[in-house]
């Protein structure tokens, strides 16, 4: 691994860090802080439905690594690239953020209007070595999702 890192640095790459290729972050826009303790699951679309890849709980900062850590290498030309040896399978993925219990706990109201949020996204063959950060901005009656950095 050390030799690989030295070769990458010599080739002009910048080693960013060890990170998961898919990460999430939940920010509670009503309370003005991260949403910790939320269950998040990652699925990949298959011919017969959805295949569970992982299930995590957001930390106190509202973050979770959805897949195992990998060596992330970035260049000036492509700051969202690359995992040199570990690649994601191109296809359709779904993140399910089970925010109902969090909303009920923080608002004190039972039966959250939106007990969970799903974000479905596609990873193309040309993107399989990129980093995907998918945060949501959460409130009791809605959410916004986007591809972060």
């Amino acid at each position: 691994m050390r030799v690989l890192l030295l070769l990458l640095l010599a080739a002009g790459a910048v080693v960013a860090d060890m990170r998961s290729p898919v990460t999430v972050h939940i920010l509670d826009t009503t309370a003005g802080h991260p949403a910790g303790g939320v269950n998040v699951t990652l699925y990949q679309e298959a011919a017969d439905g959805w295949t569970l890849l992982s299930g995590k709980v957001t930390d106190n900062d509202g973050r979770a690594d959805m897949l195992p850590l990998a060596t992330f290498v970035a260049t000036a030309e492509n700051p969202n690239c690359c995992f040199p040896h570990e690649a994601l399978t191109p296809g359709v993925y779904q993140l399910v953020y089970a925010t109902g219990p969090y909303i009920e706990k923080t608002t004190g109201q039972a039966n959250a209007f939106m007990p969970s949020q799903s974000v479905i996204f596609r990873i193309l063959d040309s993107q399989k070595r990129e980093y995907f950060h998918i945060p949501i901005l959460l409130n009791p009656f809605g959410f916004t999702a986007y591809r972060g950095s």
Side-chain angles (χ1 to χ4, degrees), residues 57-116:
V57 177
T58 57
D59 62 17
N60 289 337
D61 195 34
R63 299 175 184 272
D65 294 330
M66 297 309 299
L67 293 172
L69 299 181
T71 304
F72 179 78
V73 180
T75 63
E77 296 79 32
N78 192 353
N80 284 328
C81 187
C82 289
F83 295 91
H85 299 292
E86 306 85 1
L88 294 167
T89 303
V92 177
Y93 292 80
Q94 177 178 204
L95 284 163
V96 178
Y97 302 78
T99 57
Y102 171 84
I103 293 291
E104 292 166 7
K105 178 181 172 187
T106 57
T107 65
Q109 297 177 357
N111 302 314
F113 177 70
M114 297 177 117
S116 68

Side-chain angles (χ1 to χ4, degrees), residues 1-148:
M1 181 61 122
R2 184 181 174 123
V3 172
L4 173 65
L5 293 177
L6 291 174
L7 289 172
L8 291 169
L9 288 172
V14 176
V15 177
D17 58 354
M18 293 289 286
R19 68 169 101 165
S20 169
V22 179
T23 59
V24 298
H25 192 191
I26 304 173
L27 298 168
D28 181 337
T29 59
T30 300
H33 58 69
V38 175
N39 290 310
V40 182
T41 50
L42 175 65
Y43 300 88
Q44 185 174 18
E45 188 176 47
D48 59 347
W50 295 98
T51 301
L52 176 66
L53 297 180
S54 72
K56 303 290 177 137
V57 177
T58 57
D59 62 17
N60 289 337
D61 195 34
R63 299 175 184 272
D65 294 330
M66 297 309 299
L67 293 172
L69 299 181
T71 304
F72 179 78
V73 180
T75 63
E77 296 79 32
N78 192 353
N80 284 328
C81 187
C82 289
F83 295 91
H85 299 292
E86 306 85 1
L88 294 167
T89 303
V92 177
Y93 292 80
Q94 177 178 204
L95 284 163
V96 178
Y97 302 78
T99 57
Y102 171 84
I103 293 291
E104 292 166 7
K105 178 181 172 187
T106 57
T107 65
Q109 297 177 357
N111 302 314
F113 177 70
M114 297 177 117
S116 68
Q117 291 77 27
S118 294
V119 176
I120 298 174
F121 61 100
R122 181 182 312 277
I123 296 177
L124 302 173
D125 188 60
S126 62
Q127 298 172 311
K128 66 185 179 185
R129 295 186 183 276
E130 293 183 14
Y131 167 62
F132 292 86
H133 180 61
I134 301 156
I136 65 170
L137 305 176
L138 176 67
N139 70 67
F141 297 100
F143 76 103
T144 300
Y146 60 97
R147 182 178 179 188

